[in-house]
Structure formats: structure tokens, C-alpha cells
Amino acid sequence: MPNEPRAQLAARAAAAKDLRQVAAYTFKSPKRPDRRVVVTRAVDGTWRIDVPGGAHSGAVDIALVFAANSLHQCALAAGNHPYSGCVRITGALPAKADLKIQHLITDWQNLLTDRRLAIAVAEVAPLPGARGKCYSVESSAASMKLPLDAGIYCYEIDGTLTAVKVAFGTLLLEGTPGLAPPSVQLPGPVVPGQPLPLTAPPSPKPSASPSASPSPKA
């Protein structure tokens, strides 16, 4: 039935796949100050998500960029990270570097439209400040782990994601999305290496100074 919550959510997620826009969100996550995340979905299908403090426990601003048919994690020049550079991701983004925000505009949209997926959907009261309609999503099979985060997803009828509350945090749309650019470009050169992890590695312990040798006897 088209009025069933799951069908409504599937229709809005399907519309979201065709959107091309620039949208800014307030991002609230555990033990971190609020941040402003900008999601750019270009006309040609490339996209970019800017996340202040997205790596090394907040020390490095990053952008996730899909361009040239590849996903990249780009460190942005700011603060104590004075240069920009992008690492091309081969395969899936490693879990230790996965902010998960990008899934909201990529594979999770497809999952929300898949009627074969074992999820239970119900319309719920809107998240504070959210526009459109909000739906709770959870597994309908207790023994099955969902391939997306359970939580609350809020969409306008045109597919604009206005809010989401899941395990990694809460996003709330700021204002009205702007027009999409023709394309997005990498903010820095492609460099070798691994993507920066979400959490900063521990500081190296200072090496112990060698003990002084006993003075030779006279």
C-alpha cells in the first residue's frame, strides 16, 4: 500500500537518489562539539562531504570525495595540518576511517528502497527542527544484523534528507539546500598512503635514556 510507512520511506529514499544539491547539516556526535557538515552532490554524479575534525580525534579536517570513479579521503589544509592531500580508496573504506555519513547518500538509500530487506519501518514524531516526515528503521529479524544503522530518518517528499539520528550521531539540515555545481574536484593532489583514522594514534612513548656507565676504578 502506498500509504504504508515503509512504502512512503522507500519513495522518499528513491527520490533522494536523483537529487543534485548542496546541503549543510549540523552534526552532533558523542563527546564532540557540534560541527557543520556540507554535502555536495554535483550534476555529473560526483559528490563531496566536508567534515571538520573528521579524523585524528578532531585534529584534522577532511573531505570524502567521489570523483574520477573512485572514493577519496582528503585531508584539508587547516590548523596543524598545513597541506591538502587525497588518498584514493581501493575497495571499502576501512572501518577505523569510516565516518559513515557518506552511506546516507550512497548505499543506504538503495537499502531503504529494497523491499526484500528485513526492516521494520514506522512513522514517528519529527526530530526537533526536522522538516518532512520521520521514520524509525530497525531490524525485523532479531537474529539479523542490519547492513545500515537502525535509527530515525527524516525526508522531505522530494527526497531531501532533513535529519537523521543513528548510532554515529545526529544530522539536522540547516536552511534550504542550494543549487548543485556541475562537478566536484579533489581539493588536493592524490598522494600515496592510507586514509587517516577517526581516532588519533597514541603518542609515541619517549625512549628511555641509557643509564650512565659506572666510572672505571682508578
Side-chain angles (χ1 to χ4, degrees):
M1 295 177 59
N3 292 326
E4 178 195 5
R6 182 162 185 176
Q8 293 177 22
L9 176 58
R12 295 182 186 221
K17 293 193 286 187
D18 296 326
L19 286 181
R20 300 294 182 262
Q21 59 183 202
V22 180
Y25 295 87
T26 300
F27 178 35
K28 299 177 180 288
S29 58
K31 300 179 181 179
R32 295 293 304 278
D34 291 357
R35 290 171 279 172
R36 189 172 191 260
V37 169
V38 178
V39 179
T40 302
R41 305 175 71 182
V43 173
D44 65 354
T46 56
W47 54 261
R48 170 174 170 166
I49 303 175
D50 289 73
V51 185
H56 275 208
S57 300
V60 182
D61 297 346
I62 65 168
L64 293 174
V65 184
F66 181 78
N69 292 316
S70 296
L71 177 63
H72 303 78
Q73 188 211 60
C74 301
L76 304 177
N80 61 359
H81 199 275
Y83 64 91
S84 296
C86 299
V87 173
R88 182 180 288 112
I89 308 300
T90 302
L93 191 63
K96 65 180 181 180
D98 191 357
L99 279 164
K100 289 193 171 184
I101 294 175
Q102 77 280 5
H103 296 296
L104 295 169
I105 64 166
T106 56
D107 54 314
W108 288 2
Q109 290 177 345
N110 295 326
L111 294 171
L112 291 174
T113 64
D114 186 352
R115 296 305 298 263
R116 298 167 299 176
L117 189 64
I119 58 173
V121 177
E123 186 174 344
V124 295
L127 292 173
R131 302 193 298 271
K133 287 189 175 182
C134 296
Y135 304 88
S136 66
V137 175
E138 58 186 25
S139 175
S140 61
S143 60
M144 181 178 294
K145 182 179 179 182
L146 283 180
L148 77 165
D149 277 11
I152 297 175
Y153 295 76
C154 305
Y155 287 94
E156 292 273 30
I157 196 167
D158 68 352
T160 297
L161 181 70
T162 64
V164 62
K165 184 177 183 180
V166 285
F168 67 79
T170 301
L171 288 161
L172 179 65
L173 180 68
E174 298 178 359
T176 302
L179 296 176
S183 184
V184 297
Q185 307 298 323
L186 295 176
V190 176
V191 296
Q194 299 297 316
L196 298 176
L198 306 181
T199 304
S203 301
K205 295 181 180 179
S207 56
S209 57
S211 58
S213 302
S215 302
K217 294 183 180 179

